[in-house]
Amino acid sequence: METVYTKAKFITHLNEIKPAGYILNSDLFFEKAIPNGVIYICCRGHEHFPHSFIFSSVLSRVRFTNVEDIFSQACLATNSTVYSTSSDTATFGLGFASNVIGQANFDSLYDNEVHDDQTFNVVRPLLEQMINAALQWANQNDTLQNAYNNAELLSLDARSDLYSQPFPAKYMIVKKLVGAPDYSSYATTTIANYNSRGEMSKVNFLQTLKNILDAL
Protein backbone atom coordinates (compact mmCIF):
# COMPACT_ATOMS: atom_id res chain seq x y z
CA MET A 1 0.00 0.00 0.00
CA GLU A 2 1.30 3.42 -0.91
CA THR A 3 1.39 5.73 2.08
CA VAL A 4 1.13 8.92 0.02
CA TYR A 5 -1.70 9.69 -2.42
CA THR A 6 -0.92 13.10 -3.79
CA LYS A 7 -3.40 15.49 -5.33
CA ALA A 8 -1.40 15.18 -8.56
CA LYS A 9 -2.16 11.45 -8.61
CA PHE A 10 -5.81 12.19 -7.84
CA ILE A 11 -5.91 14.55 -10.83
CA THR A 12 -4.35 11.83 -12.98
CA HIS A 13 -7.15 9.48 -11.98
CA LEU A 14 -9.81 12.10 -12.73
CA ASN A 15 -8.31 12.63 -16.17
CA GLU A 16 -8.59 8.90 -16.81
CA ILE A 17 -12.39 9.08 -16.42
CA LYS A 18 -12.86 12.53 -17.96
CA PRO A 19 -15.72 12.44 -20.50
CA ALA A 20 -14.95 13.17 -24.14
CA GLY A 21 -15.35 16.84 -24.97
CA TYR A 22 -14.81 17.98 -21.38
CA ILE A 23 -11.88 19.66 -19.65
CA LEU A 24 -10.85 19.27 -16.01
CA ASN A 25 -11.07 22.78 -14.59
CA SER A 26 -9.24 24.35 -11.66
CA ASP A 27 -12.01 23.27 -9.26
CA LEU A 28 -11.46 19.68 -10.46
CA PHE A 29 -14.88 19.58 -12.15
CA PHE A 30 -15.35 18.23 -15.65
CA GLU A 31 -16.49 21.23 -17.69
CA LYS A 32 -17.98 21.66 -21.15
CA ALA A 33 -19.17 24.85 -22.83
CA ILE A 34 -22.62 24.81 -24.44
CA PRO A 35 -24.53 27.59 -26.23
CA ASN A 36 -25.47 30.15 -23.56
CA GLY A 37 -23.96 28.14 -20.75
CA VAL A 38 -21.73 25.46 -19.33
CA ILE A 39 -22.10 21.93 -18.01
CA TYR A 40 -20.21 20.78 -14.91
CA ILE A 41 -19.79 17.15 -13.84
CA CYS A 42 -18.32 16.75 -10.37
CA CYS A 43 -17.01 13.57 -8.73
CA ARG A 44 -17.79 14.18 -5.09
CA GLY A 45 -16.04 12.62 -2.14
CA HIS A 46 -13.93 13.10 0.95
CA GLU A 47 -10.31 14.19 0.80
CA HIS A 48 -7.87 12.42 3.08
CA PHE A 49 -4.68 13.67 1.45
CA PRO A 50 -1.89 12.76 1.66
CA HIS A 51 -3.21 9.26 2.28
CA SER A 52 -6.40 8.65 0.32
CA PHE A 53 -9.61 9.87 -1.29
CA ILE A 54 -13.06 8.35 -0.77
CA PHE A 55 -15.35 8.82 -3.76
CA SER A 56 -19.10 9.10 -3.27
CA SER A 57 -21.66 10.58 -5.69
CA VAL A 58 -21.46 12.40 -9.00
CA LEU A 59 -23.16 15.76 -9.46
CA SER A 60 -24.30 17.17 -12.81
CA ARG A 61 -24.87 20.92 -12.98
CA VAL A 62 -25.96 23.14 -15.87
CA ARG A 63 -25.43 26.90 -15.77
CA PHE A 64 -27.40 29.07 -18.18
CA THR A 65 -25.66 32.41 -18.50
CA ASN A 66 -28.76 34.46 -19.30
CA VAL A 67 -30.59 33.16 -16.21
CA GLU A 68 -27.69 33.76 -13.85
CA ASP A 69 -26.86 37.19 -15.32
CA ILE A 70 -30.41 38.37 -14.66
CA PHE A 71 -30.33 36.94 -11.13
CA SER A 72 -27.03 38.75 -10.57
CA GLN A 73 -28.60 42.02 -11.79
CA ALA A 74 -31.32 41.69 -9.17
CA CYS A 75 -28.72 40.95 -6.49
CA LEU A 76 -26.79 44.09 -7.40
CA ALA A 77 -29.94 46.21 -7.61
CA THR A 78 -30.91 45.19 -4.07
CA ASN A 79 -27.35 45.45 -2.75
CA SER A 80 -27.28 41.66 -2.29
CA THR A 81 -29.06 41.99 1.04
CA VAL A 82 -31.01 38.76 0.54
CA TYR A 83 -29.21 36.61 -2.00
CA SER A 84 -25.79 36.38 -3.56
CA THR A 85 -24.36 34.76 -6.66
CA SER A 86 -21.04 33.79 -8.20
CA SER A 87 -19.60 33.25 -11.65
CA ASP A 88 -20.04 29.47 -11.50
CA THR A 89 -23.49 29.27 -9.90
CA ALA A 90 -25.54 26.62 -11.70
CA THR A 91 -29.17 26.92 -12.77
CA PHE A 92 -30.06 23.24 -12.56
CA GLY A 93 -28.38 20.34 -10.80
CA LEU A 94 -28.95 16.67 -10.05
CA GLY A 95 -26.99 14.07 -8.10
CA PHE A 96 -26.27 10.50 -9.15
CA ALA A 97 -25.46 7.87 -6.56
CA SER A 98 -27.38 4.84 -5.26
CA ASN A 99 -30.16 5.69 -7.72
CA VAL A 100 -27.74 4.61 -10.46
CA ILE A 101 -25.43 2.00 -8.97
CA GLY A 102 -27.62 0.58 -6.20
CA GLN A 103 -27.32 1.01 -2.45
CA ALA A 104 -24.85 -1.84 -1.90
CA ASN A 105 -22.44 -0.52 -4.53
CA PHE A 106 -22.83 3.02 -3.21
CA ASP A 107 -22.00 1.84 0.31
CA SER A 108 -18.97 -0.01 -1.04
CA LEU A 109 -17.43 3.28 -2.19
CA TYR A 110 -16.94 4.24 1.46
CA ASP A 111 -15.18 0.95 2.13
CA ASN A 112 -12.77 1.36 -0.79
CA GLU A 113 -10.42 4.22 -0.11
CA VAL A 114 -8.42 5.17 -3.18
CA HIS A 115 -4.71 5.43 -2.52
CA ASP A 116 -3.13 4.06 -5.72
CA ASP A 117 -3.94 2.78 -9.21
CA GLN A 118 -5.14 -0.59 -7.96
CA THR A 119 -7.65 0.82 -5.49
CA PHE A 120 -8.82 3.40 -8.02
CA ASN A 121 -9.56 0.63 -10.51
CA VAL A 122 -11.84 -1.00 -7.92
CA VAL A 123 -14.18 2.00 -7.82
CA ARG A 124 -13.67 3.20 -11.39
CA PRO A 125 -16.52 1.15 -12.95
CA LEU A 126 -18.98 2.61 -10.43
CA LEU A 127 -17.74 6.13 -11.05
CA GLU A 128 -18.08 5.66 -14.78
CA GLN A 129 -21.66 4.42 -14.39
CA MET A 130 -22.59 7.53 -12.41
CA ILE A 131 -20.72 9.82 -14.81
CA ASN A 132 -22.53 8.29 -17.78
CA ALA A 133 -25.88 8.85 -16.08
CA ALA A 134 -24.88 12.45 -15.27
CA LEU A 135 -23.86 13.02 -18.89
CA GLN A 136 -27.12 11.61 -20.20
CA TRP A 137 -29.10 13.93 -17.95
CA ALA A 138 -26.96 16.93 -18.88
CA ASN A 139 -27.36 16.21 -22.60
CA GLN A 140 -31.13 16.12 -22.14
CA ASN A 141 -31.04 19.52 -20.42
CA ASP A 142 -28.46 21.42 -22.48
CA THR A 143 -30.91 24.10 -23.62
CA LEU A 144 -33.01 26.25 -21.33
CA GLN A 145 -36.21 25.19 -23.07
CA ASN A 146 -35.41 21.49 -22.67
CA ALA A 147 -34.43 21.95 -19.03
CA TYR A 148 -37.67 23.82 -18.32
CA ASN A 149 -39.82 21.30 -20.17
CA ASN A 150 -38.24 18.32 -18.43
CA ALA A 151 -38.57 19.93 -15.01
CA GLU A 152 -42.24 20.65 -15.64
CA LEU A 153 -42.85 16.88 -15.83
CA LEU A 154 -41.80 16.49 -12.18
CA SER A 155 -43.66 17.07 -8.94
CA LEU A 156 -43.26 20.53 -7.43
CA ASP A 157 -40.89 19.21 -4.74
CA ALA A 158 -38.70 17.40 -7.27
CA ARG A 159 -38.74 20.43 -9.54
CA SER A 160 -37.66 22.78 -6.77
CA ASP A 161 -34.80 20.41 -5.92
CA LEU A 162 -33.66 20.46 -9.54
CA TYR A 163 -33.45 24.26 -9.76
CA SER A 164 -30.72 26.06 -7.87
CA GLN A 165 -31.85 28.17 -4.94
CA PRO A 166 -33.73 30.39 -4.48
CA PHE A 167 -36.22 28.37 -6.49
CA PRO A 168 -38.99 31.03 -6.80
CA ALA A 169 -36.59 33.57 -8.29
CA LYS A 170 -34.86 31.16 -10.66
CA TYR A 171 -38.21 29.69 -11.71
CA MET A 172 -39.55 33.17 -12.40
CA ILE A 173 -36.57 34.01 -14.60
CA VAL A 174 -36.76 30.78 -16.57
CA LYS A 175 -40.50 31.14 -17.13
CA LYS A 176 -39.95 34.61 -18.56
CA LEU A 177 -37.06 33.58 -20.81
CA VAL A 178 -38.87 30.57 -22.30
CA GLY A 179 -42.07 32.57 -22.78
CA ALA A 180 -44.21 30.51 -20.41
CA PRO A 181 -47.78 31.86 -20.59
CA ASP A 182 -48.14 31.78 -16.80
CA TYR A 183 -45.01 33.86 -16.11
CA SER A 184 -46.91 36.99 -15.01
CA SER A 185 -49.41 35.15 -12.82
CA TYR A 186 -46.64 33.10 -11.20
CA ALA A 187 -44.54 36.19 -10.48
CA THR A 188 -47.49 38.14 -9.06
CA THR A 189 -48.70 35.25 -6.90
CA THR A 190 -45.21 34.52 -5.57
CA ILE A 191 -44.63 38.12 -4.56
CA ALA A 192 -48.07 38.28 -2.93
CA ASN A 193 -47.34 35.11 -0.94
CA TYR A 194 -44.12 36.52 0.50
CA ASN A 195 -45.89 39.80 1.21
CA SER A 196 -48.60 38.00 3.17
CA ARG A 197 -45.90 36.38 5.32
CA GLY A 198 -44.27 39.72 5.98
CA GLU A 199 -40.97 38.72 4.35
CA MET A 200 -40.42 42.17 2.95
CA SER A 201 -36.76 41.78 2.00
CA LYS A 202 -37.72 38.89 -0.28
CA VAL A 203 -40.69 40.85 -1.60
CA ASN A 204 -38.34 43.69 -2.50
CA PHE A 205 -35.93 41.31 -4.23
CA LEU A 206 -38.62 39.53 -6.22
CA GLN A 207 -40.33 42.78 -7.20
CA THR A 208 -36.99 44.15 -8.37
CA LEU A 209 -36.42 40.95 -10.31
CA LYS A 210 -39.87 41.17 -11.88
CA ASN A 211 -39.22 44.75 -12.93
CA ILE A 212 -36.03 43.64 -14.67
CA LEU A 213 -37.83 40.76 -16.39
CA ASP A 214 -40.80 42.87 -17.45
CA ALA A 215 -38.41 45.30 -19.14
CA LEU A 216 -36.89 42.62 -21.35
Side-chain angles (χ1 to χ4, degrees), residues 110-161:
Y110 291 89
D111 297 325
N112 289 288
E113 294 189 41
V114 172
H115 52 80
D116 57 15
D117 290 341
Q118 183 177 356
T119 50
F120 176 69
N121 286 332
V122 171
V123 302
R124 179 172 178 166
L126 300 178
L127 294 174
E128 290 177 333
Q129 284 184 55
M130 292 186 290
I131 289 171
N132 286 338
L135 287 171
Q136 182 178 3
W137 178 83
N139 290 337
Q140 293 169 347
N141 294 279
D142 62 354
T143 70
L144 187 59
Q145 187 68 62
N146 285 347
Y148 174 78
N149 290 345
N150 291 331
E152 288 300 291
L153 300 175
L154 305 175
S155 68
L156 181 59
D157 284 346
R159 191 185 313 152
S160 63
D161 287 341

Side-chain angles (χ1 to χ4, degrees), residues 70-99:
I70 290 170
F71 183 78
S72 180
Q73 287 180 45
C75 288
L76 290 172
T78 55
N79 296 316
S80 300
T81 55
V82 185
Y83 302 114
S84 62
T85 187
S86 66
S87 60
D88 64 350
T89 299
T91 312
F92 298 89
L94 188 64
F96 300 85
S98 59
N99 57 329

